[in-house]
């Protein structure tokens, strides 16, 4: 299995990237050169276009597309953008049909709905489970969960691991994790908890393609340990009480006066635009001025960044570190390659009233189902893309598109549920994709592939029935029954669409 496949998640397919690594849409810093480099290296990049004029956005999108054919997105901040400019930005994103738009700070359900109607993925960054629930209700396609460790503007106040677990418990869409992630071990940790991607900010500021000024990059490299500060001192251009995480400087030490003053002091300039003391501007290549007193954004992992290097090199190093981390974990756990990594050990550590032997059996079954669901999600998404680019598939195209979207959504939902239940029982979910995906995608005829998918869904139904006979835990039973009912419904819909009776369950 290739590195790309071994690290693939359903969110990778949704975004169209090879690896579950996302460039944060950092305003000013994440420009075309960095986005293109990350995308070409196999990740997914967001252009940071907060408050930027539409002419610049159009230019930056064109530059990315000149450098790569990979998909990418744009990050917008409605709460920090004048209404008329925001409207122009949204209209341009829809006109240019970018792959995704990331939204942060105040939730705007009308914008999420508008993006969905235009066929653009709506990615909402949240800082709590309550925000995640509202974003899902608004129709978000993807959630980015941000922990308090993140550099730049920080929405929530909980550590990443805690808020990630809380959001995963209620999530029905793919979830990515952000906050203090700079290494492969960090990435592996959040993937093991159930996230489908890791968001990199600080780690990619300190790259050659980043539009951050060299002063900012050098300060990141020189930082030792977690020296960052969470402060509201940098506030101009943003809503009030918006904390940011930065490296310490004369502003955070109180040497530049009271940040709440109404007097504006110019400390820099960018193309004729003044940069004010206490503004949210960070030093950029296009700026001049007193960089030491500007917002030097950095996450808590900054002390582990040793050098400025090409973005592709940093992406590859992180991927290599993930693979080494997994190899070490498997060795330490004594796990077979096909089994979930379990750290349960003692029966009293399990919330469910099961013996150690029963727990390991249930975990093995859940891991098997998790691999199958990832495979189903991949088949549904890739089939949907082929259908959108092809002619008559032998069934009503619109109906089949809707069905494939529903199946992909369901499979992603059950991936999250299975991973959550495995964590609850003391296991680290694996990240493998079942062999069913390759077998299904080798079938060129789409109707025949759908029938094969139905047989796979039938296999899942049979496995769920067997597992339900072994499980007494009410919470797990309820989730498995809901999953069983959903798979039965999907089988019936596929069968009806292709005028074929329900496929008999068979081994995958």
């Amino acid at each position: 299995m290739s590195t790309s496949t071994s690290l693939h998640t359903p969110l990778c397919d949704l975004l169209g990237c090879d690896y579950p690594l996302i460039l944060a849409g950092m305003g000013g810093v994440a420009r075309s050169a960095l986005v293109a480099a990350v995308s070409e290296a196999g990740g997914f990049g967001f252009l940071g276009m907060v408050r930027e004029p539409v002419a610049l956005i159009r230019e930056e999108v064109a530059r990315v597309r000149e450098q790569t054919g990979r998909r990418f997105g744009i990050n917008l901040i409605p709460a920090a953008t004048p209404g008329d400019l925001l409207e122009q930005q949204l209209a341009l994103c829809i006109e240019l049909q970018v792959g995704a738009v990331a939204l942060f700070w105040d939730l705007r359900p009308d914008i999420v709905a508008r993006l969905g109607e235009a066929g653009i993925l709506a990615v909402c960054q949240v800082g709590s489970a309550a925000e995640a629930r509202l974003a899902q209700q608004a129709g978000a396609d993807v959630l980015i969960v941000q922990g308090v460790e993140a550099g730049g503007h920080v929405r929530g106040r909980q550590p990443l691991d805690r808020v990630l677990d809380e959001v995963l418990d209620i999530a029905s869409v793919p979830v990515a994790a952000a906050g203090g992630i700079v290494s492969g071990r960090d990435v592996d940790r959040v993937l093991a908890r159930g996230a489908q991607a890791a968001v990199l900010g600080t780690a990619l500021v300190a790259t050659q393609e980043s539009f951050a000024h060299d002063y900012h990059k050098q300060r990141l490299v020189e930082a030792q340990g977690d020296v960052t500060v969470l402060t509201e001192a940098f506030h101009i251009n943003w809503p009030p009480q918006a904390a940011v995480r930065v490296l310490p400087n004369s502003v955070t030490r109180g040497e530049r006066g009271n940040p709440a003053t109404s007097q504006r002091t110019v400390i820099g300039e960018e193309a004729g635009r003044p940069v004010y003391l206490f503004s949210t501007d960070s030093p950029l290549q296009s700026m001049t001025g007193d960089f030491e007193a500007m917002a030097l954004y950095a996450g808590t992992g900054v002390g582990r960044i040793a050098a400025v290097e090409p973005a592709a090199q940093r992406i590859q190093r992180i991927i290599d570190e993930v693979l080494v981390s997994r190899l070490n974990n498997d060795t330490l756990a004594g796990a077979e390659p096909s089994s979930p990594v379990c750290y349960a050990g003692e029966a009293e550590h399990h919330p469910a009233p099961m013996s150690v032997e029963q727990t390991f059996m249930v975990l093995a079954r859940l891991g098997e189902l998790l691999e199958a669901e990832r495979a189903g999600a991949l088949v549904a998404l890739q089939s949907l893309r082929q259908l959108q680019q092809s002619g008559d598939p032998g069934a009503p195209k619109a109906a089949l598109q809707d069905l494939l979207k529903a199946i992909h959504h369901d499979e992603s939902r059950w991936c999250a549920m299975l991973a959550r239940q495995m964590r609850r029982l003391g296991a680290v979910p694996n990240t493998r994709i079942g062999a069913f995906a390759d077998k299904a995608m080798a079938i060129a005829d789409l109707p025949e592939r759908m029938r094969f998918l139905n047989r796979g869904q039938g296999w899942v139904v049979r496995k769920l029935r067997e597992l339900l006979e072994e499980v007494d835990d009410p919470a797990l039973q309820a989730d498995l029954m809901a999953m069983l009912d959903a798979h039965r419904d999907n089988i019936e819909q596929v069968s009806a669409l292709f005028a074929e009776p329900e496929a008999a369950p068979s081994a995958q």
Side-chain angles (χ1 to χ4, degrees), residues 121-382:
L121 293 176
V123 180
C124 292
Q125 181 161 294
V126 300
S128 67
E131 283 191 330
R133 186 175 286 106
L134 292 174
Q136 285 188 150
Q137 292 172 356
D141 298 293
V142 180
L143 298 175
I144 294 177
V145 178
Q146 186 196 51
V148 72
E149 302 92 336
H153 284 91
V154 182
R155 183 64 169 170
R157 292 296 182 271
Q158 291 179 284
L160 175 58
D161 286 356
R162 184 186 306 166
V163 68
L164 177 60
D165 286 350
E166 291 181 2
V167 171
L168 286 170
D169 283 345
I170 58 95
S172 60
V173 299
V175 173
I181 299 173
V182 299
S183 70
R185 293 187 60 136
D186 298 331
V187 173
D188 196 33
R189 186 190 81 249
V190 297
L191 293 179
R193 299 186 84 89
Q196 292 191 25
V199 180
L200 305 175
T202 308
L204 293 173
V205 175
T207 59
Q208 292 177 2
E209 296 87 351
S210 159
F211 202 67
H213 195 278
D214 288 347
Y215 177 84
H216 191 178
K217 296 179 186 182
Q218 191 59 34
R219 286 290 304 271
L220 296 177
V221 172
E222 292 171 353
Q224 299 294 315
D226 177 18
V227 296
T228 61
V229 177
L230 195 63
T231 176
E232 294 181 7
F234 300 98
H235 60 87
I236 296 173
N237 297 327
W238 265 73
Q241 298 180 321
V244 296
R245 185 174 295 282
V246 296
L247 293 174
N249 66 357
S250 57
V251 171
T252 65
R253 292 190 295 268
E255 299 169 4
R256 294 297 184 109
N258 182 4
T261 180
S262 59
Q263 182 178 357
R264 296 289 177 93
T265 301
V266 176
I267 61 170
E269 181 266 341
E270 182 185 32
R273 178 183 70 86
V275 176
Y276 296 107
L277 182 65
F278 308 128
S279 82
T280 57
D281 289 291
S282 64
L284 302 178
Q285 294 177 20
S286 52
M287 288 182 184
T288 58
D290 185 357
F291 300 133
E292 189 280 336
M294 295 184 189
L296 303 173
Y297 297 128
T300 58
V302 64
R304 289 177 283 140
I305 296 175
V308 175
E309 61 184 342
Q313 186 171 311
R314 178 146 290 160
I315 292 290
Q316 190 57 58
R317 176 179 288 112
I318 289 173
I319 292 300
D320 291 345
E321 289 172 353
V322 173
L323 296 177
V324 170
S325 176
R326 289 186 177 178
L327 178 62
N328 291 340
N329 285 341
D330 285 346
T331 301
L332 290 171
E336 294 296 328
S338 60
S339 302
V341 181
C342 182
Y343 302 103
E346 301 296 334
E348 61 265 28
H349 291 175
H350 304 153
M354 293 186 286
S355 67
V356 172
E357 292 78 9
Q358 287 175 316
T359 301
F360 271 88
M361 180 276 295
V362 170
L363 285 171
R365 298 282 185 86
L366 293 176
E368 188 178 37
L369 286 168
L370 179 56
E371 292 183 27
E373 292 304 281
R374 290 199 186 103
L378 178 59
V379 171
L381 185 62
Q382 291 186 343

Side-chain angles (χ1 to χ4, degrees), residues 422-434:
M422 291 179 73
R423 291 195 312 275
R424 191 172 70 92
L425 293 175
V428 177
N430 65 50
T431 58
R432 292 184 289 271
I433 299 175

Side-chain angles (χ1 to χ4, degrees), residues 388-409:
Q388 292 170 334
Q389 298 170 2
S390 67
D392 182 12
K397 187 171 183 177
L400 183 53
Q401 282 182 334
D402 290 343
L403 180 55
L404 284 169
K405 289 178 182 177
I407 292 174
H408 179 266
H409 182 276

Side-chain angles (χ1 to χ4, degrees), residues 32 35-37 39-41 63-72:
S32 55
V35 171
S39 299
E40 277 293 287
R63 290 188 182 118
V64 175
R65 288 175 172 168
E66 288 172 359
Q67 299 175 69
T68 180
R70 309 301 293 267
R71 298 178 71 196
F72 62 95

Side-chain angles (χ1 to χ4, degrees), residues 90-120:
L90 288 168
L92 183 62
C93 289
I94 293 171
E95 175 196 334
L96 298 177
Q97 279 296 290
V98 297
V101 169
L103 303 168
F104 186 35
W105 219 249
D106 295 342
L107 177 67
R108 287 280 301 272
D110 58 318
I111 294 177
V112 174
R114 185 173 172 185
L115 293 171
E117 292 169 358
I120 296 174

